[in-house]
Amino acid sequence: MALSMKIQASSLIAGQRRVRPMTGRRAVVIKAALELKAPPYALDALEPHMSKQTLEFHWGKHHRAYVDNMNKQIAGTPLDGKSLEEVVLASWNGGSPTPVFNNAAQVWNHTFFWESMKPNGGGAPTGKLAEAIARDFGSFDKFKEEFKAAGLTQFGSGWAWLNADNSGKLSLSKTPNAVTPVVEGKTPILTVDVWEHAYYIDVQNRRPDYLTTFIEKLINWDVVAERYAAAQK
Amino acid sequence: MAFELPALPYDYGTLEPHVDSQTMLIHHTKHHQAYVNNLNAALDKFPELKDLGLVEINKVVGTDKLPGDVATTIRNNGGGHYNHTFFWKVMTNPSNTNGPSGAVKEAIEAAFGSVDEMKAKFNAAAAGRFGSGWAWLGVKEDGSLAITSTPNQDNPLMASLPDSTPMVPILGLDVWEHAYYLKYQNRRPEYIAAWWNVVNWEQVASNFDAAKTGAVLL
């Protein structure tokens, strides 16, 4: 029996499982662990706007720890083997989150965050998304102002979000700690992490500068537009 | 009379290597200063609140003594100003620290079994506070010692908040990432362990003596 099989997926989607059989047994027992997905760019690719050192800690330590801790928590429980999204929703438990939620939601949030950025990002959206921003915020400049304000006014740790409903209407929100609009029935299309670990190495207390850089230099508007289109399907 | 940023009781480098000087500089002159500025701005329209003093302002968080539109700002920034003022004083040159003695040591042993057991509980509270917040050792209303943690800039003086463990704090540790990220990054447990080297047990004893009479030393 091929007990040494290992499926290494190079193009993972959030929640993809790695199948790892136990050795030394006649029957293969499959245990599935959720994976830490790499950002879609090298860890130094966002320089000088977000340093390699930040990515090494933020992805390599913080995000990795959320994945490892979540996997430890769900091993052998009914959540073992479920997709990441299922684990997030189940552990949210209708607003009385279980200990799994902080880890699972942070796994999801961080993958969503990496994918919201790209090297040479920023600039402006185009097409239907640009029209919706102008319609729902008044102008792109006004959107940028309000998105920045959401990030600035999330006291303590948390996230700021741009969401779309299935009619294409846009809204901003901010959440504390690990909370994600997904559990509030919303469809996020863009996020920025405002936990201090996201920016402290690069700009220390200067969260306003971090947010300006994120908006002007890092946002992957192509991905945001794809998510926007998907929200209306 | 506006609130002011208090001077540190020591130099920015005094707590090295356990708490680095760059962190102390930014923590004091940027973060704490911002809480003072924001608190003063919020209280500008409510001079009668300013007259209450910092401790009382913290105690009335969560009650209707704070007008609705500034309640959150005062909770966050009045809490931040008290917490940091308290924090600088419960730290000292690492060569000064001797561990607890006398009445506070007896109280710790009575509540937790031993100083080590107290530290283990405190470390767990500090490491386990998800997101931003503080861990506290304090005197409860019944005079006994207890450990709790609070989110963001809340503290145990804010007795009216739901889920509050009302206490007079005698020792506290900032576990916002800004308190340790430059030196420790994600390694919060390492920061917590190192921090015991700079605890000012004399100040803790003074805080304890005052708390036993119901007073909050600041």
Side-chain angles (χ1 to χ4, degrees):
Chain A
M1 185 162 268
L3 294 172
S4 61
M5 71 176 186
K6 234 199 264 195
I7 298 169
Q8 297 278 13
S10 52
S11 61
L12 298 165
I13 52 167
Q16 180 152 346
R17 276 158 270 145
R18 177 162 57 102
V19 176
R20 184 182 23 188
M22 288 170 70
T23 56
R25 291 178 184 225
R26 304 196 76 227
V28 174
V29 177
I30 306 293
K31 288 260 177 207
L34 292 167
E35 286 264 290
L36 172 66
K37 189 183 173 192
Y41 38 75
L43 297 185
D44 64 356
L46 301 182
E47 298 225 343
H49 313 301
M50 187 175 283
S51 67
K52 176 186 185 193
Q53 204 193 8
T54 291
L55 267 293
E56 283 173 337
F57 282 105
H58 199 176
W59 174 76
K61 304 289 185 186
H62 290 274
H63 194 180
R64 186 181 303 279
Y66 291 129
V67 172
D68 292 345
N69 291 334
M70 173 190 64
N71 281 329
K72 280 187 210 135
Q73 284 172 316
I74 68 178
T77 77
L79 290 179
D80 195 353
K82 298 258 187 276
S83 73
L84 179 60
E85 288 79 4
E86 287 172 305
V87 176
V88 170
L89 287 168
S91 61
W92 174 246
N93 192 30
S96 302
T98 73
V100 175
F101 179 76
N102 281 343
N103 289 312
Q106 285 292 79
V107 174
W108 193 94
N109 294 339
H110 282 86
T111 299
F112 195 79
F113 177 53
W114 306 131
E115 294 173 354
S116 296
M117 296 188 284
K118 69 171 189 181
N120 304 311
T126 57
K128 291 214 153 48
L129 177 56
E131 286 167 25
I133 286 177
R135 179 197 66 211
D136 294 335
F137 294 97
S139 68
F140 182 51
D141 278 349
K142 202 78 194 9
F143 156 74
K144 289 196 283 187
E145 227 179 85
E146 292 185 26
F147 186 71
K148 186 173 174 182
L152 281 179
T153 56
Q154 178 50 46
F155 190 71
S157 307
W159 303 77
W161 306 86
L162 175 63
N163 310 298
D165 71 13
N166 57 14
S167 76
K169 181 153 167 53
L170 296 170
S171 63
L172 290 175
S173 63
K174 61 193 187 203
T175 55
N177 297 342
V179 180
T180 167
V182 169
V183 303
E184 297 166 338
K186 299 197 185 102
T187 306
I189 66 173
L190 170 65
T191 194
V192 64
D193 187 350
V194 293
W195 282 62
E196 288 174 324
H197 64 237
Y199 57 89
Y200 218 79
I201 288 173
D202 292 343
V203 294
Q204 295 81 60
N205 59 300
R206 302 186 309 280
R207 195 192 284 191
D209 290 350
Y210 162 69
L211 288 166
T212 298
T213 299
F214 176 82
I215 289 167
E216 298 298 334
K217 304 290 186 185
L218 289 170
I219 294 180
N220 183 339
W221 284 111
D222 297 328
V223 162
V224 179
E226 282 166 24
R227 291 167 174 168
Y228 180 63
Q232 294 165 81
K233 292 213 165 65
Chain B
M1 257 270 295
F3 288 108
E4 282 181 8
L5 180 70
L8 278 188
Y10 34 73
D11 296 333
Y12 290 111
T14 298
L15 308 182
E16 290 263 8
H18 311 293
V19 185
D20 59 295
S21 59
Q22 201 198 1
T23 292
M24 289 302 292
L25 178 67
I26 297 173
H27 204 172
H28 182 244
T29 64
K30 305 292 182 188
H31 292 278
H32 189 178
Q33 181 73 71
Y35 292 129
V36 172
N37 296 346
N38 294 340
L39 179 62
N40 283 333
L43 292 179
D44 257 349
K45 305 160 210 119
F46 304 98
E48 71 281 6
L49 287 178
K50 216 181 284 186
D51 292 339
L52 284 181
L54 186 58
V55 169
E56 207 49 41
I57 283 170
N58 275 265
K59 286 185 172 180
V60 300
V61 167
T63 73
D64 56 17
K65 286 223 162 64
L66 295 185
D69 42 350
V70 280
T72 299
T73 307
I74 289 175
R75 172 181 181 173
N76 291 342
N77 295 286
H81 180 28
Y82 169 81
N83 295 343
H84 288 83
T85 301
F86 174 89
F87 186 47
W88 310 135
K89 293 166 84 162
V90 296
M91 294 190 289
T92 188
N93 191 315
S95 63
N96 283 351
T97 192
N98 286 318
S101 59
V104 71
K105 182 171 189 217
E106 282 169 27
I108 287 172
E109 288 166 346
F112 303 101
S114 68
V115 173
D116 280 346
E117 284 164 284
M118 180 278 288
K119 286 184 176 181
K121 279 220 152 69
F122 190 96
N123 294 342
R129 169 48 61 181
F130 188 72
S132 308
W134 292 73
W136 305 96
L137 174 68
V139 177
K140 293 200 298 187
E141 278 149 2
D142 66 5
S144 66
L145 284 180
I147 286 167
T148 192
S149 75
T150 52
N152 297 342
Q153 293 299 345
D154 290 352
N155 57 56
L157 293 176
M158 300 176 180
S160 299
L161 291 178
D163 305 328
S164 163
T165 304
M167 302 191 306
V168 175
I170 69 171
L171 178 62
L173 174 60
D174 190 348
V175 292
W176 281 62
E177 289 173 325
H178 66 237
Y180 61 91
Y181 211 80
L182 294 180
K183 181 177 172 73
Y184 296 98
Q185 294 86 48
N186 58 301
R187 302 180 306 281
R188 192 194 286 187
E190 207 180 298
Y191 159 66
I192 298 166
W195 170 79
W196 288 107
N197 290 297
V198 299
V199 168
N200 183 346
W201 289 106
E202 274 181 39
Q203 183 66 48
V204 174
S206 303
N207 292 343
F208 175 74
D209 293 341
K212 290 295 271 178
T213 73
V216 180
L217 211 57
L218 188 60

